[in-house]
């Protein structure tokens, strides 16, 4: 006999026999329950019905599967305590009792579930009262949707939005947010004496590390630095990476300014030990700026800005130190910032010019050559000296295009003079360099190109680099310097005696000439001891086969003394101030004053 099955009934289901009306109603009921179960089982969410005691009366296949059970029927009569942690089950029980009592549903509550196997899932749960046909509450039913993946994505997005991907520290946005919270809390309780501080930190000479060791090593240094800084703060403080090599610390709830300076001092202490990156030991230091909430800030940006200004002051005062913000700094910083903006434009607008100061041969008493000294004719401020704008140019990187322009202009000029005064021994030109220029990978190529274009004999060009700049950057510096020497370009060690190096270091510098800093020349008037120092420097340099130029010679007495000390060359106001090109040319025509 062919068996006819009711639609939707699985194979093997009994075929309803023709029966009385009551039986038919029963049959329909069974089918409806069956349809309900089929429907529930196809839905990939957890669906469950519970009685008033929070016992499962019916669950779908998905729910059973989650509990590690194949047959949904076997879940009947069990409770959450059989499947979840006690804590989770208790919470669910309380929620359901509340629904039973009030008839109010719980809608889309996001909760964490710890499952029997130990797995953790996030679900969004909606629970409703279950009513009979008379409207009496007889239990609850609920739907829980797995949102684990969405939660993971949300967490990742939050991590990306609020944390720095390199160091995993809070980023600028999160930092500002926390400062904002503290400022608001302080405003709500104006009488309270809570104090907090921001320390703004910047790695000194990080650019040099990046340029000499590579970016990957630079990154590695930042990560190690972040870990070390973490050890200097309390868990309640916020250490953030603000960007590049800049970090910031929010010190919450401190007693006094001294608490902030103590942290700053500890950080500097921590940095005295070197970092090891890729086998290379790196000594680094940081400049720190501190702003205190007692200055009464409204906006987090303002407080961070002031800490930043104080940090810049620390850098300007010689790096590797901290400064506390005061309002005087603000005024200075504003004018510095304006200057920085103007300096960017000045290059395009050709507002720079060169002055030339003669370098005098003390034996022949003639001009041997010139040092090119850059000037800036500012449209409003008038003539601005290099001591003011060179540090800004170095900080901003503008020194590279500016330095290249100086080199081109000086070479062009010396070529003109060499051609115009063929009777003089070929005039030399000295050009000052910053380390930042030296660490450009193509620096030597740039110099070569300029020499070729201006047709200047390389042996008439001298490049001056200060002793401290060279010491900061020994590795990069010496490589480039070696190549420059191979081109027969001369190298002068500028401001000698003011840097870190001692006389015993001198042999390590592959330089042709030492320029004795003018402070030594000036101090010779103080007596024999000071004169002996100058004599020793000159003797040592000559033993090493180096020439010596005395800087800042202002009096005839100094000239005479230097001659007796066997100093061969000199430069200073006594002979001439730095002059514009046309006046320097007159000096070549008319000769020096007698000495
Ligand atoms: P520096 O290379 O040591 O240049 C000598 C400085 O001493 C010049 O100051 C010069 O005007 C000054 N000077 C010369 N003779 C005397 C004197 O008898 N008495 C006194 N008191 N001072 C004298 P200037 O032109 O203000 O330059 C200052 C510094 O700026 C330079 O020191 C140099 O380090 C830097 N600089 C100048 N031009 C450039 C440039 O084109 N590139 C770079 N990177 N630095 C530059
Ligand atoms: Mg110089
Ligand atoms: Mg000098």
């Amino acid at each position: 006999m062919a068996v006819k099955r009711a639609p939707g009934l699985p194979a093997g289901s009994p075929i309803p026999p023709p029966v009385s009306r009551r039986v038919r109603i029963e049959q329909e009921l069974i089918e409806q329950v069956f349809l309900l179960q089929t429907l529930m089982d196809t839905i990939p969410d957890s669906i469950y019905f519970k009685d008033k005691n929070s016992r499962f009366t019916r669950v779908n296949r998905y729910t059973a599967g989650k509990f590690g059970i194949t047959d949904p029927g076997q879940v009947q009569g069990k409770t959450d305590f059989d499947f979840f942690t006690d804590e989770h089950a208790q919470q669910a029980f309380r929620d359901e009792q509340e629904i039973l009592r009030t008839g109010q549903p719980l809608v889309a509550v996001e909760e964490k579930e710890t499952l029997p196997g130990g797995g953790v899932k996030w679900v969004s749960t909606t629970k409703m009262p279950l009513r009979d046909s008379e409207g009496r509450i007889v239990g609850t039913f609920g739907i829980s949707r797995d949102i684990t993946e969405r939660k993971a994505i949300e967490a990742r997005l939050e991590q990306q939005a609020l944390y720095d991907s390199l160091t995993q520290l809070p980023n600028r946005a999160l930092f500002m947010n926390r400062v904002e919270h503290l400022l608001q809390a302080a405003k709500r309780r104006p009488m309270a004496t809570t104090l907090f501080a921001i320390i703004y930190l910047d790695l000194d000479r990080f650019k040099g590390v990046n340029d000499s060791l590579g970016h990957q090593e630079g990154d590695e240094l930042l990560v190690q630095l972040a870990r070390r800084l973490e050890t200097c703060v309390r868990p309640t403080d916020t250490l953030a990476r603000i960007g590049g090599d800049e970090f910031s610390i929010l010190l919450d709830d401190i007693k006094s300014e001294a608490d902030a300076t103590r942290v700053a001092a500890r950080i500097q202490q921590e940095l005295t030990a070197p970092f090891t990156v890729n086998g290379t030991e790196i000594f680094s230091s940081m400049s720190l700026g501190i702003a205190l909430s007692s200055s009464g800030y409204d906006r987090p940006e303002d407080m961070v800005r002031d800490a930043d200004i104080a940090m810049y002051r620390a850098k300007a005062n010689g790096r590797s130190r901290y400064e506390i913000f005061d309002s005087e700094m603000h005024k200075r910083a504003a004018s510095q910032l304006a200057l920085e903006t103007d300096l960017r434009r000045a290059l395009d607008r050709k507002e720079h010019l060169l002055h030339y100061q003669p370098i005098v041969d003390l034996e022949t008493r003639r001009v041997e050559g010139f040092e090119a000294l850059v000037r800036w004719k500012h449209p409003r401020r008038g003539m601005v000296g290099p001591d003011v704008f060179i540090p800004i140019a170095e900080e901003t990187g503008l020194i590279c295009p500016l330095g290249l322009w100086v080199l081109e202009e000086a070479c062009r000029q010396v070529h003109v003079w060499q051609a115009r005064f063929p009777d003089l021994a070929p005039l030399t030109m000295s050009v000052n360099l910053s380390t930042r220029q030296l660490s450009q990978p193509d620096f030597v190529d740039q110099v070569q190109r300029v020499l070729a274009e201006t047709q200047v004999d390389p042996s008439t060009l001298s490049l001056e680099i200060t002793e401290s700049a060279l010491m900061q950057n020994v590795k990069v510096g010496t490589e480039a310097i070696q190549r420059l020497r191979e081109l027969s370009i001369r190298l002068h060690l500028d401001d000698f005696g003011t840097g870190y190096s001692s006389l015993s270091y001198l042999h390590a510098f592959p330089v042709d000439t030492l320029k004795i800093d003018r402070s030594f020349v000036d101090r010779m008037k103080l007596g024999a001891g000071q004169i002996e120092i100058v004599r020793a420097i000159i003797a040592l340099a000559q033993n090493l086969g180096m020439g010596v130029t005395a800087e800042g010679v202002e009096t005839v007495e100094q000239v005479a003394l230097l001659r007796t000390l066997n100093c061969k060359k000199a430069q200073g106001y006594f002979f001439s101030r730095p002059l514009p090109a046309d006046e320097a040319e007159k000096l070549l025509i008319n000769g020096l004053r007698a000495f």
Side-chain angles (χ1 to χ4, degrees):
M1 193 176 88
V3 176
K4 215 172 152 212
R5 273 181 270 123
L9 284 187
S13 296
I15 296 161
V19 282
S20 68
R21 188 177 131 74
R22 218 193 103 233
V23 174
R24 210 179 62 240
I25 291 172
E26 260 175 27
Q27 192 57 47
E28 270 171 15
L29 204 62
I30 290 171
E31 274 179 33
Q32 270 173 20
V33 168
F34 181 81
L35 275 175
L36 174 68
Q37 186 70 37
T38 309
L39 180 67
M40 279 167 61
D41 285 348
T42 57
I43 293 177
D45 290 332
S46 193
I47 304 175
Y48 42 88
F49 293 81
K50 289 178 176 174
D51 66 14
K52 284 184 156 179
N53 295 317
S54 285
R55 270 180 220 289
F56 289 104
T57 53
R58 182 178 291 278
V59 304
N60 68 344
R61 202 171 286 285
Y62 182 91
T63 309
K66 200 157 84 169
F67 298 155
I69 294 170
T70 336
D71 175 11
Q74 284 181 12
V75 179
Q76 203 172 340
K78 298 204 183 311
T79 70
D80 280 345
F81 287 92
D82 295 311
F83 303 114
F84 295 107
T85 57
D86 277 4
E87 195 190 345
H88 181 90
Q90 263 155 16
Q91 181 62 45
F93 184 78
R94 277 197 299 272
D95 290 347
E96 286 151 13
Q97 293 307 309
E98 188 67 8
I99 292 169
L100 293 171
R101 199 175 60 79
T102 63
Q104 292 297 312
L106 266 182
V107 179
V109 176
E110 296 190 353
E111 50 184 1
K112 209 157 121 186
E113 286 181 340
T114 308
L115 294 165
V120 172
K121 280 190 179 304
W122 274 95
V123 291
S124 166
T125 298
T126 295
K127 284 182 185 173
M128 310 263 194
L130 183 65
R131 294 174 196 271
D132 65 11
S133 54
E134 252 104 75
R136 286 182 299 241
I137 296 178
V138 292
T140 58
F141 74 95
I143 302 182
S144 297
R145 172 160 295 179
D146 187 338
I147 54 165
T148 310
E149 203 169 318
R150 197 195 85 202
K151 277 281 175 191
I153 292 171
E154 275 174 10
R156 257 210 321 274
L157 287 178
E158 186 185 279
Q159 178 79 18
Q160 272 167 19
L162 299 178
Y163 290 83
D164 167 48
S165 60
L166 179 68
T167 60
Q168 313 308 327
L169 293 178
N171 66 8
R172 185 188 177 84
L174 181 53
F175 185 81
M176 293 308 245
N177 187 285
R178 295 201 177 152
V179 177
E180 167 108 61
H181 275 298
L182 285 186
L183 286 174
Q184 276 172 2
K187 240 184 268 171
R188 278 196 301 274
R189 289 172 293 135
M191 301 318 275
T193 52
T194 50
L195 182 64
F196 61 94
I198 289 178
I199 306 184
Y200 205 97
L201 312 92
D202 184 282
L203 203 54
D204 296 329
R205 305 188 192 97
F206 178 62
K207 179 83 174 47
V209 173
N210 254 347
D211 289 345
S212 56
L213 294 180
H215 282 266
Q216 227 168 333
E217 284 69 16
D219 282 356
E220 172 60 25
L221 176 65
L222 291 175
V223 172
Q224 289 189 28
L225 175 67
R227 298 292 86 82
R228 217 183 269 187
L229 290 175
E230 272 171 340
T231 66
C232 301
V233 297
R234 300 167 301 178
T236 47
D237 299 329
T238 301
L239 166 66
R241 180 169 175 227
I242 299 298
D245 58 344
E246 296 181 8
F247 294 80
S248 210
I249 299 172
L250 177 58
L251 296 176
D252 188 6
D253 195 15
I254 54 174
K255 304 272 167 309
S256 68
E257 183 181 298
D259 283 341
T261 56
R262 211 170 298 129
V263 174
R266 196 186 315 148
I267 288 170
Q268 289 182 317
Q269 176 59 35
E270 275 299 310
L271 290 177
T272 51
F275 293 93
T276 308
V277 174
N278 217 349
T280 308
E281 277 200 343
I282 301 173
F283 285 89
S284 65
S285 61
M286 296 192 100
S287 300
L288 288 70
I290 301 172
L292 294 158
S293 63
S294 47
S295 295
Y297 292 98
D298 275 331
R299 302 185 316 157
E301 304 83 287
D302 294 344
M303 188 167 175
V304 173
R305 180 205 59 212
D306 285 356
D308 189 20
I309 290 172
M311 184 278 290
Y312 264 97
R313 186 97 312 254
K315 265 204 200 300
N317 287 349
R319 301 186 163 111
S320 184
R321 52 189 293 144
Y322 63 81
E323 295 288 341
I324 300 170
F325 178 80
D326 64 53
S327 56
E328 192 46 42
M329 277 183 198
H330 188 91
K331 281 184 221 139
R332 253 179 303 175
S335 109
Q336 171 107 351
L337 193 67
L339 217 51
E340 189 180 313
T341 318
D342 291 350
L343 191 57
R344 287 180 197 283
R345 274 191 224 117
L347 267 173
D348 295 333
R349 298 188 182 171
K350 306 204 187 327
E351 289 169 3
H352 290 101
L353 58 141
L354 293 185
H355 280 182
Y356 300 92
Q357 186 176 37
I359 299 172
V360 175
D361 185 323
L362 292 178
E363 283 171 348
T364 64
R365 300 174 193 246
R366 297 175 77 157
V367 174
E368 185 228 55
F370 292 93
E371 175 174 3
L373 293 158
V374 67
R375 302 287 179 263
W376 177 14
K377 204 163 169 235
H378 190 285
R380 289 183 318 279
R381 297 176 198 230
M383 208 62 100
V384 182
D387 289 337
V388 176
F389 69 85
I390 293 285
I392 303 175
E394 285 175 340
E395 196 67 52
T396 54
L398 286 169
I399 192 67
C400 291
L402 176 62
L404 184 60
W405 176 83
V406 171
L407 183 69
E408 284 166 346
E409 181 61 16
C411 285
R412 195 195 55 73
Q413 183 62 67
V414 78
H415 185 252
V416 169
W417 283 335
Q418 285 169 351
R420 207 165 283 172
F421 302 95
D423 300 341
L424 302 177
L427 286 168
T428 61
M429 182 59 77
S430 298
V431 173
N432 292 285
L433 283 192
S434 291
T435 24
R436 217 158 158 170
Q437 288 174 271
L438 259 188
S439 48
Q440 297 172 98
D442 65 340
F443 177 69
V444 181
D445 302 334
Q446 288 177 23
V447 176
Q448 240 177 324
R449 183 181 56 73
V450 172
L451 287 171
E453 280 173 11
T454 54
Q455 297 169 12
V456 168
D457 175 355
S459 68
T460 59
L461 174 66
S462 303
L463 296 176
E464 297 196 354
I465 176 154
T466 62
E467 178 195 13
S468 41
L470 192 60
M471 286 296 292
Q472 273 166 35
N473 221 331
V474 177
K475 183 164 166 278
V476 186
T478 43
E479 262 171 37
I481 282 170
Q482 209 54 51
R483 288 185 56 205
L484 291 168
R485 296 195 79 200
E486 283 159 16
L487 297 174
S488 10
I489 292 166
R490 315 262 174 223
L491 289 159
H492 291 178
L493 196 55
D494 207 350
D495 301 351
F496 183 79
T498 59
Y500 315 69
S501 63
S502 63
L503 290 175
S504 59
Y505 259 114
L506 211 49
H507 67 274
F509 299 125
V511 296
D512 304 275
T513 296
L514 281 193
K515 297 189 80 170
I516 302 179
D517 189 68
R518 65 168 175 270
S519 56
F520 288 91
V521 175
D522 187 43
R523 281 199 296 264
M524 289 198 304
K525 63 178 183 254
L526 298 178
Q530 296 296 324
I531 295 171
E532 275 319 300
I533 293 176
V534 177
R535 187 200 302 278
I537 295 174
I538 294 170
L540 187 68
Q542 283 167 352
N543 283 341
L544 292 167
M546 295 177 182
V548 178
T549 305
E551 290 186 294
V553 178
E554 294 182 352
T555 66
V556 69
E557 290 78 20
Q558 288 169 337
V559 177
L561 197 49
L562 286 164
R563 284 167 64 100
T564 64
L565 296 177
N566 208 13
C567 181
K568 297 288 192 311
K569 285 185 267 179
Q571 184 182 351
Y573 293 171
F574 173 76
F575 307 103
S576 167
R577 295 196 166 241
L579 302 170
D582 54 343
E583 287 180 43
E585 191 166 322
K586 273 186 210 137
L587 195 74
L588 287 175
I589 297 166
N590 301 330
L592 292 165
R593 66 195 276 196
F595 62 91

